[in-house]
Amino acid sequence: LRLPGSKGGDGDPLVHIYGPKIKYERGAAVAFNVKQSDGTLVNAEVVQKIAEKNGISLGIGFLSHIKVDLNHKQLNGAFDIPEASFYKNGRKDSKKVTIRVEVVTASLGFLTNFEDVYNMWAFVAKFLDPSFLESERLTIAADHSEGQT
């Protein structure tokens, strides 16, 4: 799934998956983030709440102790990582930082079947339409405010 209107013809991927690229090293859980058309990441808790409304169970996790070079191309522009996620590695002049990234997690279990995986894919594909995210955020906000009265 690729974001429409991105640079480079094909568009940027809608989903960023973290972890080993080799399947058997990944295990039964997948950590990922959904991107918006401007390249920023959709808040993991928002994705989880929207998924819950759509009958899909997702978790939240944190990838910690990720060391990156501040000059590295992948950090500059590929992710929208909040400044609060950065931790300096001891030295003030250090160009390397450690980041902590909040991610959405999906687990595949013994009873997971093709329909479950397809429904997850179809749900994530809805984020290709920016109006889907906005309408869901408004619904979540309305539900939250009703719960406080």
Side-chain angles (χ1 to χ4, degrees):
L1 300 171
R2 299 215 172 256
L3 291 165
S6 302
K7 301 173 201 165
D10 281 343
D12 292 331
L14 173 67
V15 175
H16 182 82
I17 298 174
Y18 302 93
K21 300 209 184 289
I22 301 170
K23 289 187 287 189
Y24 63 82
E25 290 180 356
R26 182 180 301 279
V30 178
F32 66 95
N33 281 111
V34 178
K35 290 184 184 179
Q36 300 180 76
S37 58
D38 64 359
T40 60
L41 301 177
V42 179
N43 181 286
E45 291 178 32
V46 170
V47 174
Q48 182 189 39
K49 287 179 183 178
I50 296 170
E52 187 177 296
K53 282 183 49 189
N54 286 270
I56 296 175
S57 180
L58 296 175
I60 300 286
F62 290 94
L63 303 179
S64 299
H65 308 306
I66 301 169
K67 294 182 181 176
V68 293
D69 187 343
L70 283 176
N71 296 328
H72 195 269
K73 288 181 187 177
Q74 187 177 20
L75 187 61
N76 298 329
F79 305 109
D80 177 34
I81 300 171
E83 190 64 34
S85 300
F86 289 86
Y87 302 96
K88 288 284 185 188
N89 290 344
R91 294 194 330 252
K92 196 170 190 170
D93 61 342
S94 177
K95 294 284 186 205
K96 294 199 182 257
V97 294
T98 302
I99 60 172
R100 180 178 178 203
V101 180
E102 185 176 29
V103 295
V104 180
T105 59
S107 297
L108 301 173
F110 179 69
L111 298 175
T112 303
N113 59 27
F114 176 81
E115 183 179 359
D116 297 330
V117 175
Y118 180 82
N119 288 337
M120 174 65 184
W121 177 83
F123 165 72
V124 171
K126 292 178 182 180
F127 285 89
L128 287 169
D129 179 7
S131 64
F132 169 74
L133 180 58
E134 284 308 310
S135 66
E136 290 294 328
R137 279 185 173 152
L138 291 173
T139 305
I140 289 171
D143 291 346
H144 184 68
S145 66
E146 286 178 10
Q148 292 184 349
T149 56

